[in-house]
């Protein structure tokens, strides 16, 4: 992997990740852009104890442009985009309309491929490995920013999810706090450790799932399963078998095997609902240990956390979505329409030949 860092016309950082070491990236952003002005701030809810990002400037962000005006495609002639070069393998840049900025963190866009009509599942194993290396590199770099406490790499896919740009891409949010979902995991981790005299909860969950009926696929270094208490109709958690706290902790064997496993998982998601159905909308979310202090989670350190990816779709059956209505949105109590065991069985059935 070759990494080349440059700047866009408004001062935002852009980084090319190339498969070839001899690739030269010297294209200049020719757009007449003024420096980005954001109004992002983080406010803490005194009753719930969580944080909300207020980012009113995002109302003006790019919204469903036609394919020939996609800002994530390479620049061609006088059609100038966020990527100044005429081609790329993978690229990361600071979001022009960030939810978090400055002392409130940072937001980046990750373009998986220059092919506008592709998806992550269409990547080669070599391309998928490049994206993994980019996620890892950005996790490392962002973790050193003084305002950053947790790094979250994710992909939203499909209009049903709320995606406003059709080009295959994901995002990275660098939060100035530990997110509520991670805090819940850490509290459960601490409670289990104390109750069992030191047993790791992630290890216990993984051991239980490996011995059960909800495993979707398993390789030497990775396992994917539908969790016992899945929140979503089709939800799969992907874990490395060797517990590590973040992407930086993966060894070379796990990195080499990841593309094969993850691409197969994504392709199965696209076959869940049968032939002729539109691509399955999904969210793919990496969960990594925070880089900030963990004093409030007594007895827990970063190495107790287990890196994993959660992949789920909001489609519950052909032509029907799972809406977060009263119980889910009002009380955060999910009601799942599909038994996790049945979801796992379906995902095993759609294995590629």
């Amino acid at each position: 992997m070759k990494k080349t860092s440059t700047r866009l016309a408004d001062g935002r950082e852009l980084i090319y990740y190339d498969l070839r070491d001899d690739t030269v990236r010297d294209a200049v952003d020719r757009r007449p852009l003024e420096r980005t002005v954001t109004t992002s701030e983080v406010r803490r809810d005194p009753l719930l104890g969580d944080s909300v990002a207020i980012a009113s400037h995002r109302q003006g962000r790019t919204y469903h442009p036609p394919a020939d005006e996609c800002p994530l495609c390479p620049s061609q002639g006088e059609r100038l985009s966020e990527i100044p070069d005429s081609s790329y393998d993978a690229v990361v840049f600071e979001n022009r309309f960030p939810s978090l900025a400055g002392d409130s963190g940072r937001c980046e866009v990750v373009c998986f491929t220059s092919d506008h009509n592709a998806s992550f599942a269409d990547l080669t194993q070599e391309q998928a490995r490049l994206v993994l290396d980019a996620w890892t590199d950005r996790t490392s770099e962002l973790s050193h920013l003084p305002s950053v406490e947790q790094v979250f790499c994710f992909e939203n896919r499909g209009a049903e999810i709320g995606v406003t740009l059709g080009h295959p891409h994901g995002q990275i949010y660098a939060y100035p706090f530990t997110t509520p979902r991670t805090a819940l995991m850490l509290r459960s981790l601490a409670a289990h450790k104390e109750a069992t005299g030191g047993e790791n909860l992630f290890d216990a969950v993984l051991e239980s799932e490996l011995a059960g009926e909800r495993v979707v696929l398993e390789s030497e270094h990775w396992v994917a399963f539908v969790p016992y208490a899945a929140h979503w109709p089709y939800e799969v958690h992907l874990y490395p078998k060797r517990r590590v706290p973040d992407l930086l902790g993966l060894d070379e064997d796990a990195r080499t095997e990841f593309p094969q496993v993850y691409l197969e998982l994504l392709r199965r998601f696209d076959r869940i609902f049968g032939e002729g159905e539109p691509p399955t909308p999904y969210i793919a979310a990496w969960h990594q240990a925070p880089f900030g202090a963990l004093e409030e989670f007594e007895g827990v350190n970063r190495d107790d956390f287990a890196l994993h990816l959660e992949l789920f779709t909001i489609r519950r059956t052909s032509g029907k979505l799972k809406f977060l209505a009263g119980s889910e949105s009002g009380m955060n109590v999910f009601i799942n329409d599909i038994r996790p065991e049945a979801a796992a069985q379906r995902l095993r059935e759609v294995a590629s030949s």
Side-chain angles (χ1 to χ4, degrees):
M1 179 189 77
K2 181 181 180 182
K3 175 183 175 183
T4 306
S5 180
T6 184
R7 293 281 172 180
L8 296 173
D10 55 8
R12 289 175 294 130
E13 186 177 18
L14 179 142
I15 306 155
Y16 294 98
Y17 293 91
D18 285 297
L19 294 168
R20 292 174 55 95
D21 290 337
D22 59 353
T23 303
V24 176
R25 297 295 184 187
D26 54 9
V28 176
D29 185 3
R30 294 182 284 126
R31 297 173 298 171
L33 297 180
E34 296 182 357
R35 285 197 170 270
T36 301
V37 177
T38 65
T39 57
S40 178
E41 62 174 306
V42 174
R43 298 184 181 183
R44 188 167 179 80
D45 187 316
L47 294 179
L48 298 179
D50 59 7
S51 299
V52 177
I54 309 297
S56 57
H57 63 276
R58 284 174 53 80
Q59 288 281 31
R61 66 187 184 274
T62 308
Y63 186 80
H64 291 300
D68 60 357
E69 296 178 17
C70 174
L72 306 185
C73 287
S75 293
Q76 297 289 341
E78 294 306 308
R79 192 187 70 77
L80 306 178
S81 73
E82 290 280 64
I83 295 89
D85 215 325
S86 59
S87 66
Y88 65 84
D89 292 332
V91 69
V92 176
F93 61 88
E94 288 184 74
N95 198 320
R96 190 177 179 187
F97 304 96
S99 301
L100 306 164
D103 292 339
S104 297
R106 174 159 158 151
C107 292
E108 298 182 340
V109 176
V110 184
C111 297
F112 304 139
T113 171
S114 60
D115 184 353
H116 180 85
N117 297 312
S119 69
F120 201 118
D122 296 323
L123 301 183
T124 65
Q125 291 189 28
E126 185 181 34
Q127 289 174 305
R129 169 61 190 265
L130 182 65
V131 175
L132 174 64
D133 289 342
W135 283 330
T136 305
D137 180 71
R138 297 314 302 154
T139 296
S140 176
E141 293 290 330
L142 293 170
S143 71
H144 290 97
L145 296 180
S147 63
V148 172
E149 189 165 315
Q150 185 172 357
V151 179
F152 176 45
C153 307
F154 66 99
E155 179 191 1
N156 296 327
R157 193 249 207 155
E160 299 94 329
I161 297 292
V163 174
T164 57
L165 296 176
H167 195 103
H169 73 288
Q171 301 181 65
I172 302 175
Y173 278 20
Y175 296 102
F177 51 80
T178 296
T179 60
R181 188 173 177 85
T182 302
L184 286 173
M185 294 184 199
L186 291 169
R187 291 190 190 101
S188 297
L189 189 63
H192 185 85
K193 191 173 186 178
E194 181 179 8
T196 60
E199 182 182 78
N200 184 280
L201 178 59
F202 285 109
D203 292 350
V205 167
L206 195 57
E207 181 181 358
S208 174
E209 293 292 356
L210 279 166
E213 59 180 314
R214 290 180 297 275
V215 171
V216 174
L217 59 87
E218 181 182 359
S219 64
E220 183 178 356
H221 300 286
W222 295 87
V223 60
F225 58 87
V226 177
Y228 171 74
H231 289 56
W232 298 94
Y234 289 94
E235 174 181 343
V236 176
H237 294 189
L238 177 63
Y239 277 71
K241 289 184 176 178
R242 183 179 69 87
R243 172 165 45 89
V244 296
D246 50 41
L247 289 165
L248 284 71
L250 292 174
D251 61 24
E252 183 57 31
D253 288 339
R255 292 180 182 280
T256 299
E257 196 177 72
F258 170 78
Q260 175 186 351
V261 175
Y262 188 49
L263 290 172
E264 170 62 18
L265 196 56
L266 291 179
R267 290 162 186 166
R268 291 191 192 192
F269 255 60
D270 272 342
R271 293 192 290 267
I272 294 173
F273 303 105
E275 296 294 330
E277 287 291 322
T280 302
Y282 64 73
I283 293 175
W286 280 109
H287 291 264
Q288 307 191 78
F291 290 94
L294 299 178
E295 284 85 355
E296 66 177 291
F297 311 104
E298 189 173 350
V300 171
N301 57 57
R302 290 195 79 248
D303 290 336
D304 291 324
F305 195 87
L307 167 76
H308 62 284
L309 181 141
E310 297 184 8
L311 174 68
F312 61 89
T313 179
I314 63 171
R315 186 180 292 164
R316 56 188 174 88
T317 188
S318 179
K320 297 180 181 178
L321 303 180
K322 167 64 179 176
F323 292 102
L324 301 189
S327 186
E328 292 88 355
S329 296
M331 283 296 166
N332 201 27
V333 177
F334 276 68
I335 300 169
N336 194 345
D337 303 299
I338 298 176
R339 292 187 76 247
E341 293 75 19
Q345 176 62 33
R346 177 58 181 159
L347 286 162
R348 288 193 295 269
E349 290 173 351
V350 297
S352 58
S353 57

